């Protein structure tokens, strides 16, 4: 986290970002509140920062944090504040990107943990002033509530989205790609980590990658996803995947598949083979709900991001697998707006297909995608270019409620909502019960 190179990188990144700018205009409404990212170094270099937690296999949680100076990868934790009956040790890593050297990234898996329980945790930094954090584990059974919002970035709009989400009493956050919008300026990954820490240290944040995570620089930095993979280690090993770019996890009766729009999805690719085997393992008696997250939407009636291969080709490659598996819901980001579709298969309304929802409205600096194709296609039910987030409240094995909340309104206000019935409880579109 050395900062002298910041401006050099800023210029470099600006050139490439400009060259890669997508040829459609976003609207930039005035931010709801002023907000400036902070990349200033902390006075004490052993201060833990950017703390976030994620689910890591059955009853386990991965804890990640960064320090500027070396501290051991040890988490002390327990169910009462200040008393840590348990301790776990993990690993340390760091990465280099052009002239930037990351802080020390700590990665520790803790557990087994009890469901629906608050755990208090702290780090062995050697300093007595090390703060205490806490998270709540998801419930073992329904009901469970997911908050969903993609393309977050780090603006005043993002801050407003995060405030709404923190009021929603959610259990697990699902992020369909495009996190920091660092776009090669590595200190912006650090400021993003600090911005989301109040939420991401308290509930599991499960993310997948978007185009803004690639961060290659021709002839200078060949490896894609360097920062993303180092900072946001998701449970891919635990789900039999060979890549951090696609994985699955199960929580409270829901099987969630995270796909990688920017990993190979062609014929014979690891991702396709992994997806096939992962979907085969789903048992709808154990996990009645099956949800898929991807960055680039397969269905989209906005002018933004039409015709990209991650949307068109990936849909062709994977839609049949999802249909056969009776996926209940597919969430995407990428388009900075909200759109809800019917149940769809092969471009038409189909009662046995997944419901598709675009929720790329987290609030990044590019603004909103507000130009829609007219007339509205019949498969599209509701569309609006406003910043916000969604909530998926799974009531039981049969019913769930989806609602969309705009930042312009109070959190309790639902601009769009719909009840869903799971395929596991449906007799006409039979889902696999092992
Ligand atoms: C599931 O929840 C719905 C909505 O609250 C309710 O009508 C239904 O009876 C519940 N089903 C079961 C099996 O509990
Ligand atoms: Fe994107």
């Amino acid at each position: 986290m050395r900062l002298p190179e910041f401006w050099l990188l800023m210029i470099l990144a600006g050139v490439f970002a400009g060259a890669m700018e997508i040829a459609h205009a976003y609207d930039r409404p005035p931010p709801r509140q002023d907000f400036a990212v902070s990349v200033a170094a902390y006075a004490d270099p052993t201060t833990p920062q950017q703390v976030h937690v994620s689910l890591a296999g059955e009853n386990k949680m991965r804890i990640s944090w960064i320090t500027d100076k070396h501290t051991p990868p040890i988490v002390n934790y327990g169910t009462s504040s200040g008393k840590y009956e348990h301790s776990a040790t993990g690993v340390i890593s760091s990465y280099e990107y052009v002239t930037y050297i990351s802080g020390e990234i700590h990665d520790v898996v803790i557990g087994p943990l009890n469901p629906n329980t608050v755990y208090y945790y702290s780090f062995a930094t050697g300093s007595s002033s090390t703060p205490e954090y806490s998270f709540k584990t998801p419930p073992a059974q329904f009901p469970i509530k997911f908050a969903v919002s993609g393309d977050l970035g780090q603006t005043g709009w993002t801050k407003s989205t995060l405030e709404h989400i923190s009021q929603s009493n959610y259990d697990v956050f699902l992020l369909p790609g495009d996190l920091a919008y660092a776009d090669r300026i590595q200190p912006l990954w650090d400021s993003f980590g600090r911005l989301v820490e109040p939420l991401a240290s308290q509930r599991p944040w499960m993310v997948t990658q978007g185009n803004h995570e690639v961060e290659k620089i021709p002839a200078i930095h060949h490896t894609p996803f360097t920062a993303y993979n180092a900072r946001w280690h998701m449970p891919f090993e635990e789900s039999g995947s060979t890549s951090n770019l696609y994985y699955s996890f199960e929580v409270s009766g829901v099987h969630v598949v995270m796909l990688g729009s920017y990993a190979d999805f062609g014929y014979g690719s690891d991702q396709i083979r992994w997806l096939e085997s992962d979907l085969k393992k789903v048992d709808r008696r154990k996990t009645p709900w099956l949800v898929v997250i991807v960055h680039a939407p397969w269905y989209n009636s906005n002018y933004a991001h039409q015709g990209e291969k991650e949307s068109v080709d990936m849909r062709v490659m994977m839609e049949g697998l999802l249909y056969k598996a009776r996926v209940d819901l597919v969430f995407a980001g990428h388009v900075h707006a909200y759109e809800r579709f019917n149940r769809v298969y092969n471009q038409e309304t189909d009662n046995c297909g997944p419901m598709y929802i675009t929720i790329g409205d987290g609030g990044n600096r590019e603004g909103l995608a507000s130009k829609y194709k007219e007339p509205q296609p019949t498969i599209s039910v509701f569309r609006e270019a406003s910043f916000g987030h969604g909530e998926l409240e799974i009531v039981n094995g049969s019913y769930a409620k989806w609602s969309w909340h705009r930042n312009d309104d109070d959190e309790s206000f639902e601009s769009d909502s719909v009840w869903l019935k799971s395929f596991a409880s449906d007799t006409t579109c039979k889902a696999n019960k092992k």
Side-chain angles (χ1 to χ4, degrees):
M1 266 161 277
R2 296 180 316 184
L3 294 172
E5 301 89 359
F6 178 72
W7 297 110
L8 172 75
L9 272 172
M10 187 84 138
I11 293 159
L12 199 69
V15 170
F16 284 109
M20 292 170 76
E21 190 85 28
I22 291 146
H24 64 78
Y26 281 111
D27 292 331
R28 292 172 176 80
R32 220 180 168 206
Q33 47 196 307
D34 289 333
F35 173 70
V37 299
S38 161
V39 293
Y42 283 10
D44 178 354
T46 66
T47 306
Q49 47 171 303
Q50 308 175 48
V51 183
H52 66 90
V53 302
S54 50
L55 302 169
E58 218 176 334
N59 305 324
K60 292 195 174 152
M61 201 83 96
R62 170 171 280 111
I63 309 204
S64 173
W65 75 101
I66 298 181
T67 53
D68 284 331
K69 218 181 108 193
H70 170 75
T71 61
I74 298 173
V75 175
N76 300 315
Y77 64 102
T79 51
S80 39
S81 175
K83 278 194 226 138
Y84 311 122
E85 306 109 346
H86 307 284
S87 183
T89 304
V91 294
I92 288 168
S93 68
S94 68
Y95 72 90
E96 291 183 24
Y97 188 95
V98 195
T99 59
Y100 172 92
I101 302 166
S102 78
E104 198 173 73
I105 303 168
H106 302 68
D107 183 325
V108 180
V109 174
I110 67 168
L113 306 167
N114 294 322
N116 215 12
T117 303
V118 174
Y119 283 87
Y120 299 86
Y121 62 102
S122 191
F123 308 123
T125 60
S127 158
S128 58
S129 61
T130 301
E132 177 177 78
Y133 305 84
S134 68
F135 63 70
K136 189 178 81 63
T137 53
Q141 304 288 334
F142 304 120
I144 178 173
K145 191 194 262 190
F146 296 93
V148 195
S149 190
D151 304 72
L152 269 185
Q154 37 191 325
T155 67
W157 303 313
T158 314
K159 211 158 177 281
S160 163
T161 304
L162 293 176
E163 276 165 17
H164 279 71
I165 290 172
S166 71
Q167 289 160 25
S168 72
N169 197 26
Y170 71 105
D171 296 295
V172 177
F173 185 63
L174 304 173
L175 202 168
D178 281 356
L179 284 67
Y181 284 74
D183 295 331
R184 304 163 190 85
I185 305 168
Q186 295 305 301
L188 293 180
W189 276 104
D190 296 310
S191 56
F192 178 78
R194 295 180 191 182
L195 173 67
V196 302
E197 180 190 277
L199 280 81
S201 61
Q202 291 192 49
R203 294 289 184 282
W205 272 41
M206 308 307 290
V207 306
T208 191
Q209 93 279 177
N211 49 308
H212 288 269
E213 274 71 66
V214 181
E215 297 192 301
K216 287 201 283 190
I217 304 178
I220 297 172
H221 191 92
H222 297 286
T223 314
F225 306 109
T226 304
Y228 174 73
N229 284 338
R231 294 166 182 272
W232 291 85
H233 182 176
M234 288 293 121
F236 70 96
E237 293 103 333
E238 291 84 348
S239 55
S241 158
T242 53
S243 167
N244 191 42
L245 303 179
Y246 45 89
Y247 65 94
S248 68
F249 63 95
E250 296 197 334
V251 59
S252 322
V254 189
H255 186 98
V256 181
V257 177
M258 291 287 198
L259 293 177
S261 295
Y262 303 91
D264 189 1
F265 49 75
Y267 283 108
S269 63
D270 275 355
Q271 183 170 199
I272 289 276
R273 279 183 291 163
W274 171 82
L275 175 63
E276 272 180 301
S277 76
D278 189 73
L279 291 173
K280 272 195 199 116
K281 284 184 217 153
V282 177
D283 180 350
R284 297 305 259 277
R285 278 180 308 205
K286 190 170 160 241
T287 54
W289 289 90
L290 179 51
V291 175
V292 171
I293 321 278
V294 67
H295 185 62
W298 298 355
Y299 291 100
N300 168 27
S301 78
N302 195 294
Y303 273 111
H305 299 302
Q306 284 294 336
E308 292 175 9
K309 72 177 197 306
E310 292 79 16
S311 295
V312 179
D313 297 357
M314 195 186 200
R315 180 182 73 76
V316 169
M317 287 303 302
M318 292 181 171
E319 188 178 23
L321 293 174
L322 268 52
Y323 183 71
K324 227 170 68 188
R326 294 286 176 258
V327 168
D328 293 292
L329 265 164
V330 178
F331 291 111
H334 204 34
V335 173
H336 304 165
Y338 170 70
E339 184 162 19
R340 174 166 64 85
F341 291 85
N342 279 331
R343 295 193 169 284
V344 177
Y345 178 59
N346 203 14
Q347 327 243 29
E348 284 170 13
T349 296
D350 185 320
N351 288 334
C352 298
M355 181 180 287
Y356 286 84
I357 291 169
T358 303
I359 183 93
D361 58 350
N364 67 77
R365 61 179 156 72
E366 290 176 344
L368 288 164
S370 41
K371 291 190 190 70
Y372 284 102
K373 290 185 165 181
E374 297 296 347
Q376 186 168 10
T378 51
I379 57 170
S380 169
V381 181
F382 188 107
R383 51 186 195 173
E384 184 180 319
S386 292
F387 293 122
H389 75 280
E391 293 170 24
L392 178 64
E393 219 175 324
I394 300 194
V395 177
N396 54 35
S398 310
Y399 288 95
K401 187 186 174 188
W402 165 256
S403 56
W404 179 56
H405 304 247
R406 278 194 302 237
N407 289 356
D408 292 342
D409 306 313
D410 291 334
E411 151 58 22
S412 57
F413 187 81
E414 298 166 354
S415 307
D416 177 42
S417 72
V418 62
W419 279 91
L420 286 95
K421 193 169 189 301
S422 71
F423 285 129
S425 66
D426 187 304
T427 47
T428 48
C429 311
K430 287 191 171 52
N432 181 27
K433 293 181 195 180
K434 283 187 180 158

